[in-house]
Amino acid sequence: MAMPMTIREYLRACDIDYEEVPHPREVSTSRIAQMSHVGGNQMAKAIMLHGDAGYRVAVVPSTCDADLEKLSQLFHEKLELASEDEIRQEFEDCDPGATIAVGQAYGLQVYLDDQLRHQPDIYFDAGDHETLVHMSGSEFDRLMADSRHGEFSRHH
């Protein structure tokens, strides 16, 4: 499978300069970062959340987890992890289990961890477990300009 059209079209519509980086099939973002020789702080991991007002996507470095309590306090909304079925329904053109950092392409509110802002380069899963999207940090900052952000990640 290739990068879903939803993501490709969204990046094109936002006029984002990016490249696709193929990698051996893998679902763990930390393993993908390792195999692709990408620093964990530059590999963005997306986590789908279920909140009072619908679904959200939290984007954190691959070396971290989202602190749900901190997220709930920061955004004044009770948040919990979405189920595999909920993820599959929201990202229906992606491989099962894939949660996309560019949740905006699917009409979802994105919460961005501050550690990912202003990085020189950013990589994230393209939705097929076989491709990374790579862009400069400044392009990623531009892409995420409308996302709410804060400090809500914690190291594993």
Side-chain angles (χ1 to χ4, degrees), residues 88-140:
R88 226 184 335 272
Q89 284 170 358
E90 286 300 307
F91 301 109
E92 59 188 11
D93 61 348
C94 298
D95 273 5
T99 302
I100 307 307
V102 191
Q104 312 91 311
Y106 293 85
L108 300 175
Q109 172 76 55
V110 174
Y111 296 147
L112 181 65
D113 188 79
D114 283 341
Q115 287 187 63
L116 289 169
R117 299 173 70 220
H118 318 301
Q119 289 285 347
D121 289 279
I122 291 286
Y123 297 80
F124 57 86
D125 185 45
D128 64 356
H129 299 309
E130 295 176 356
T131 313
L132 285 179
V133 175
H134 167 235
M135 62 184 65
S136 71
S138 57
E139 285 294 277
F140 185 72

Side-chain angles (χ1 to χ4, degrees), residues 14-145:
C14 292
D15 194 29
I16 297 295
D17 187 20
Y18 71 94
E19 67 172 340
E20 295 176 46
V21 181
H23 62 79
R25 186 169 180 79
E26 176 63 61
V27 294
S28 157
T29 48
S30 45
R31 285 272 312 126
I32 295 167
Q34 208 174 18
M35 289 187 318
S36 306
H37 308 292
V38 173
N41 58 341
Q42 293 184 321
M43 179 77 178
K45 172 172 75 174
I47 300 156
M48 191 164 132
L49 307 169
H50 192 187
D52 301 332
Y55 296 113
R56 308 275 185 259
V57 173
V59 183
V60 298
S62 67
T63 53
C64 298
D65 288 321
D67 184 328
L68 295 181
E69 204 171 293
K70 217 181 249 187
L71 267 164
S72 295
Q73 288 172 353
L74 202 57
F75 300 112
H76 313 291
E77 180 180 17
K78 174 90 178 90
L79 296 164
E80 51 195 42
L81 294 174
S83 70
E84 285 293 319
D85 283 345
E86 291 172 314
I87 294 169
R88 226 184 335 272
Q89 284 170 358
E90 286 300 307
F91 301 109
E92 59 188 11
D93 61 348
C94 298
D95 273 5
T99 302
I100 307 307
V102 191
Q104 312 91 311
Y106 293 85
L108 300 175
Q109 172 76 55
V110 174
Y111 296 147
L112 181 65
D113 188 79
D114 283 341
Q115 287 187 63
L116 289 169
R117 299 173 70 220
H118 318 301
Q119 289 285 347
D121 289 279
I122 291 286
Y123 297 80
F124 57 86
D125 185 45
D128 64 356
H129 299 309
E130 295 176 356
T131 313
L132 285 179
V133 175
H134 167 235
M135 62 184 65
S136 71
S138 57
E139 285 294 277
F140 185 72
D141 290 343
R142 203 162 63 79
L143 181 65
M144 295 294 178

